Amino acid sequence: MNKIILALDVSTMSEVVSIVEKMGESILWYKVGLQLFLAEGEKVVAYLKEKNKNVFLDLKFLDIPNTVAKATNEAIRMNADFITLHALGTSDMIKASRDAIDKSSSNTKILSVTILTSISEATLKTDMSLSGSIKENVHHLATIANEAGSHGIVCSPFEIETVSSINKNLIIVTPGVRLENDSVDDQKRVMTPTQALALGSSYLVMGRSLVGKDNAVDIVKDIESSYN
Ligand code: C5P
């Protein structure tokens, strides 16, 4: 139940309110990313919390440990349920964020991003000087993140098994899901919600498959009932 995180990829509070009102009790989790946070700021998080929703604050921190620890404290203050970090920020940075959480009484959880799905194997070598396949790099970075205290990993559904083999208790959050008859848009490799959940995804991030659809509430109910 409540395994769907709806991505609020919009720029205005009024769009947020209309999505949240339309989805009602069918959606518990909302993702606030850079676009919405830069446009409307903290009041979006406050609004979602006031509506008793869980917030996935997807700002993908990547900075020196001290700065990330302080940013984590602000996310804790806002009562964010999930925050994201780049595992490329190294274990010192992830540990600093985890320490900030452990020093507080908050339930905020860290999700680490390994290799962005927009990065190809060729770019990994040319621009980042990283050898090995995407899968090897995902495995390596997820292992570091796990050991440094990350509670979970954001990954493509195709990487679920790689990540769960490291630690079966990691929270696995997967974007890149599409309903069978949906357009793929700019997503390159996609799975259906049922396939991703069967492979062990803890939460699905869904945007365009729900937003703008008249029957979005029914789609959510169908996915949830196929799982339960
Ligand atoms: O509309 P769609 O379902 O493709 O939206 C997916 C959401 O997940 C967007 O907010 C997108 O930025 C995010 N995301 C993604 N792929 C990743 C990481 C995040 O699509 N690898």
Side-chain angles (χ1 to χ4, degrees), residues 7 9 31 60 117 154 175-178 187 205-209:
D9 292 328
K31 180 170 91 82
K60 298 190 181 67
T117 47
V154 182
V177 287
R178 284 289 178 275
Q187 297 282 10
V205 178
M206 296 182 70
R208 287 162 290 185
S209 290

Side-chain angles (χ1 to χ4, degrees), residues 12 39 47 68 75 79 105 110 138 154 168 216 222:
T12 62
Y47 165 77
V68 168
N79 215 355
S105 55
I110 303 166
V138 167
V154 182
K168 64 174 175 34
D222 279 354

